[in-house]
Amino acid sequence: MAIIVQKFGGTSVADAEKIRRAAERVIKAVKNGFQVVVVASARGKQTDELIADALELNPNPPRREMDQLLSTGEQQTVSLFAMALDAAGYDAISFTGGQIRMITDGDYTRARIKSIDAQRIHKQLDKGRIVIVAGFQGIDEDENITTLGRGGSDTTAVALATSLGAEQCEIYTDVDGIHTTDPRLYKNAAKMDHISYDEMLELASLGAGVVYTRAVEFAKKYDIKIHVRSSIGEKEGTIITHEVPQMEGVVVSGATVQKDMAKIGLVNVDNKPGNAAKTFAHLAKAKVVISDIVQTEVSAEKANLSFTIGISDLPAAKQAVEQIKDEVNCESIFIRDDIAEISVVGVGMRTHYGVADKMFSALAEAQVNIDSITTSEIRISCIVDKDQAEKALGAVCDAFELDKPAQERAKNN
Ligand code: ADP
Ligand code: ASP
Ligand code: MG
């Protein structure tokens, strides 16, 4: 029998009525002949509330205790979900991450999955049961509870789909699929029918929170198709898959804005071999995740080095650069915590010119100043002032006609 993994995000299980509705969807899959594995998130804003509870008692809570606490949100949902299915006359059993031996490394609050005991789940499925697994959590080798990072239930779903050999992995959420940009920020954003893993990876890592980056990485690596769709109604959503040829016809497939960022600059460091290596080795030791790095030569003797990070890593990054400052002979350090990053993404950029020009012109017309620019083969990102972020996103979306469906935009190229 084919297996399907259905993941329900926080808004899709926010209250009893929504859990009941999600359960109906699961039952439908059972009636269609699937063995169903459900992955559920914490209800509504519960994870945010638990974080607030922790911070009220301790501004810098031990990360192990944070994971111990946050994992309880998902644990509540899965048992409630099983009860809803039982009430509807279906045999269901819920598991925590630990109970299915979802083994991770010990990096609390952003642990990585190492292995899963698929046999335990298969055994239950073969008894005719629906299996409901708590998303976002695992245990390390010493049985400590770990979590996979905010949005990590998506990763649980894709990892389970991989290890169970599932035919489909569906992610049910509060939007009807992946849009060209966040529809909450640009209300006319067009829905996409397909998107490639690479584009989705770029969009997700640049702030499109609709699917978690690591889940897409996993899906790409193990060739799992993800179907992102609304938990309300029957409409097809968006399939995340390998590149299909017509995708190249669309130059820009999406845009993102990332507001929770900071930038650190080291001004006039000695321009000699090893200084960048020393700086970033220090930052790595402090477990700071770096987004973009820009180094420019000021003279034969001096260079400027700057990088962007998530704002939650700022205290650790600040401490790390203070420690390395003298060693690289840096004149001064500047820090900006009032920035946002606007990006456009598209595999078609590989074969089309004029994208940078269009983006910068749109920002200029909107009177948005660009602080710095970084690019990859399939994206262009600009750092702008945070208070201009939404205006900048709107201008860029208008310029690339991101309110129109991809087929229409491809024709216009
Ligand atoms: P869930 O609780 O189901 O995991 P999330 O809040 O994590 O839901 O993700 C869904 C939200 O992602 C949407 O409500 C939307 O505002 C946001 N989002 C950001 N970028 C995009 C995008 N490009 N397409 C669709 N939704 C997006
Ligand atoms: N509950 C966790 C969060 O809010 C994980 C998830 O929903 O995917 O981030
Ligand atoms: Mg999510």
Side-chain angles (χ1 to χ4, degrees):
M1 248 170 129
I3 297 175
I4 185 169
V5 175
Q6 297 189 320
K7 180 252 166 180
F8 295 91
T11 43
S12 309
V13 290
D15 54 37
E17 191 40 48
K18 289 189 173 144
I19 293 178
R20 223 174 268 130
R21 210 187 293 148
E24 278 164 22
R25 209 172 270 285
V26 172
I27 292 167
K28 205 167 152 200
V30 171
K31 285 184 177 158
N32 283 336
F34 285 101
Q35 290 187 324
V36 188
V37 175
V38 175
V39 174
S41 291
R43 288 171 293 157
K45 295 250 164 283
Q46 207 185 6
T47 307
D48 293 329
E49 285 159 18
L50 290 171
I51 293 173
D53 288 347
L55 296 179
E56 210 180 324
L57 288 166
N58 184 341
N60 195 13
R63 288 171 59 206
R64 179 189 182 279
E65 300 312 321
M66 205 60 186
D67 281 358
Q68 184 91 348
L69 176 70
L70 295 190
S71 64
T72 61
E74 272 68 14
Q75 195 174 335
Q76 290 178 23
T77 318
V78 291
S79 35
L80 291 167
F81 210 116
M83 290 175 198
L85 284 165
D86 178 75
Y90 285 79
D91 197 1
I93 180 164
S94 70
F95 290 120
T96 63
Q99 287 171 324
I100 53 151
R101 314 272 333 143
M102 166 88 70
I103 307 292
T104 70
D105 62 19
D107 196 3
Y108 298 119
T109 75
R110 52 183 171 209
R112 282 181 176 268
I113 299 170
K114 287 178 161 177
S115 62
I116 301 172
D117 182 1
Q119 278 324 310
R120 181 142 198 206
I121 298 176
H122 279 303
K123 239 191 236 165
Q124 296 296 329
L125 291 173
D126 292 342
K127 284 185 189 160
R129 293 192 172 133
I130 298 163
V131 175
I132 304 153
V133 178
F136 172 61
Q137 57 181 267
I139 49 168
D140 70 8
E141 308 276 6
D142 297 323
E143 310 248 335
N144 297 295
I145 296 178
T146 54
T147 66
L148 309 178
R150 296 303 306 271
S153 296
D154 295 338
T155 319
T156 307
V158 178
L160 281 174
T162 306
S163 64
L164 294 167
E167 191 167 281
Q168 288 185 49
C169 180
E170 295 183 322
I171 293 191
Y172 287 96
T173 184
D174 62 350
V175 270
D176 59 2
I178 315 287
H179 288 240
T180 50
T181 194
D182 187 343
R184 280 191 222 181
L185 302 178
Y186 185 73
K187 72 174 189 323
N188 294 329
K191 198 202 99 186
M192 300 181 215
D193 294 333
H194 292 92
I195 184 167
S196 68
Y197 292 122
D198 287 341
E199 283 175 310
M200 194 61 233
L201 268 177
E202 288 275 4
L203 288 177
S205 68
L206 295 166
V210 57
V211 193
Y212 192 46
T213 320
R214 279 196 198 159
V216 187
E217 269 170 14
F218 229 104
K220 181 182 174 189
K221 191 165 163 197
Y222 296 102
D223 208 4
I224 298 284
K225 248 188 229 162
I226 306 179
H227 187 176
V228 179
R229 59 196 308 191
S230 169
S231 54
I232 300 166
E234 292 304 318
K235 250 173 65 182
E236 291 285 300
T238 306
I239 305 282
I240 310 175
T241 180
H242 285 292
E243 224 163 286
V244 289
Q246 64 266 33
M247 283 180 179
E248 291 238 326
V250 184
V251 184
V252 165
S253 51
T256 59
V257 57
Q258 216 169 0
K259 289 186 190 161
D260 49 356
M261 293 192 78
K263 179 174 169 175
I264 297 190
L266 286 87
V267 180
N268 284 340
V269 299
D270 278 351
N271 189 5
K272 65 175 196 199
N275 274 350
K278 271 184 211 153
T279 308
F280 289 100
H282 232 71
L283 287 157
K285 220 165 111 195
K287 296 195 166 166
V288 174
V289 180
I290 311 285
S291 298
D292 284 317
I293 302 171
V294 178
Q295 177 167 317
T296 46
E297 197 175 59
V298 179
S299 65
E301 292 80 35
K302 290 286 180 184
N304 289 338
L305 183 58
S306 68
F307 58 90
T308 50
I309 53 175
I311 205 143
S312 58
D313 276 343
L314 185 55
K318 214 163 135 183
Q319 202 180 15
V321 291
E322 289 289 353
Q323 283 165 357
I324 198 78
K325 181 174 175 260
D326 292 339
E327 217 178 306
V328 297
N329 207 13
C330 159
E331 245 171 56
S332 61
I333 293 170
F334 74 81
I335 292 176
R336 286 197 64 186
D337 57 6
D338 56 349
I339 56 162
E341 185 174 54
I342 305 287
S343 308
V344 293
V345 171
V347 285
M349 278 187 211
R350 292 185 188 132
T351 47
H352 288 76
Y353 50 82
V355 182
D357 162 37
K358 201 182 233 181
M359 179 171 186
F360 304 154
S361 301
L363 292 173
E365 261 169 53
Q367 299 284 309
V368 175
N369 188 48
I370 302 171
D371 172 296
S372 55
I373 301 165
T374 47
T375 62
S376 83
E377 202 189 9
I378 65 165
R379 72 143 167 151
I380 303 173
S381 301
C382 297
I383 298 290
V384 301
D385 287 352
K386 198 188 236 166
D387 57 12
Q388 291 198 306
E390 275 168 42
K391 178 163 90 164
L393 180 72
V396 168
C397 289
D398 286 344
F400 289 101
E401 303 185 291
L402 294 186
D403 53 332
K404 296 203 176 118
Q407 300 87 317
E408 208 173 308
R409 280 181 284 128
K411 257 190 261 153
N412 296 341
N413 287 326

